[in-house]
Amino acid sequence: MSAQLLLPQLSLRAFAVWRRNFLVWKKLAIPSLLGNLADPMIYLFGLGYGLGGLLPQINGVSYIAFLASGTVCASTMNAASFEALYSAFSRMHVQRTWEAIMNAPVTLEDVMAGELLWAAAKATLSGMAILVVISLLGFVASPLALWALPVIFLTGLAFAALGLIVTALAPSYDFFMYYFTLFITPMVLLCGVFFPPEQLPPLVQAVAAWLPLTHAVALVRPLLFGEIPAGIVGHLAALLAVALAAFWIALTLIRRRLLK
């Protein structure tokens, strides 16, 4: 394996790719944001007020407040995943936008880094939108919630990088259903979005502890409740490690696909 694959040569041209994607998205920004809000809000109000009325408090807070903090992370994960899968695959395979960009003095590493940053930025907007809504509804207890913003961005980076791996392997859009069914959906159920992970069997808890969404929820939920999360360094390191390792794997796979 060449040194170029081991040490990707990144440059500030990645931000030009980011800007290109932003300018395209800006034309439909409002419908995009509303679309990202709709699904998590349905879960929040449907389960929070419906099911929540039948449940006692969880760790001293109402169920809807507990669910709201998890929804911020789940929305960030979904937004990053959709952008790194469907949108990136369209630009790579269907529209061949990546090939057109690389006719300029822009490398594949810059294109991939731009896609990663754009997916994370779009996911951050989604997470921020949910955060604003639940703040207005009174489910945020402390200004410490502002520290959730960098966690949201890092969560977006991690799931965007994982999504780019799947994009590199995908022969068509249908392939993404396997990723959502076998990876994304189980994480929503296992990582503390809807209920505390402590309710799960010990073996399942051990598996869930390795999933990136678990680390995101463990950081964001206490901040929204005005508490300092336990194990901050470990959770941040885990999300950063996922983002870096997954990006390197995605870049290696994309190189084999496009430059073979």
Side-chain angles (χ1 to χ4, degrees), residues 64-110:
I64 190 169
F66 178 89
L67 178 61
S69 57
T71 301
V72 173
C73 300
S75 177
T76 301
M77 174 186 69
N78 284 329
S81 298
F82 272 99
E83 185 64 26
L85 294 171
Y86 291 96
S87 298
F89 183 80
S90 295
R91 290 188 284 267
M92 177 191 72
H93 182 71
V94 179
Q95 302 168 353
R96 299 193 178 278
T97 303
W98 291 9
E99 294 182 17
I101 292 174
M102 287 188 290
N103 285 325
V106 178
T107 65
L108 180 59
E109 287 96 332
D110 294 328

Side-chain angles (χ1 to χ4, degrees), residues 1 14 20 26 74 78 103 191 210 239 243 254:
M1 184 176 295
R20 180 263 170 204
K26 188 172 68 171
N78 284 329
N103 285 325
C191 295
W210 287 89
L239 289 172
I254 288 290

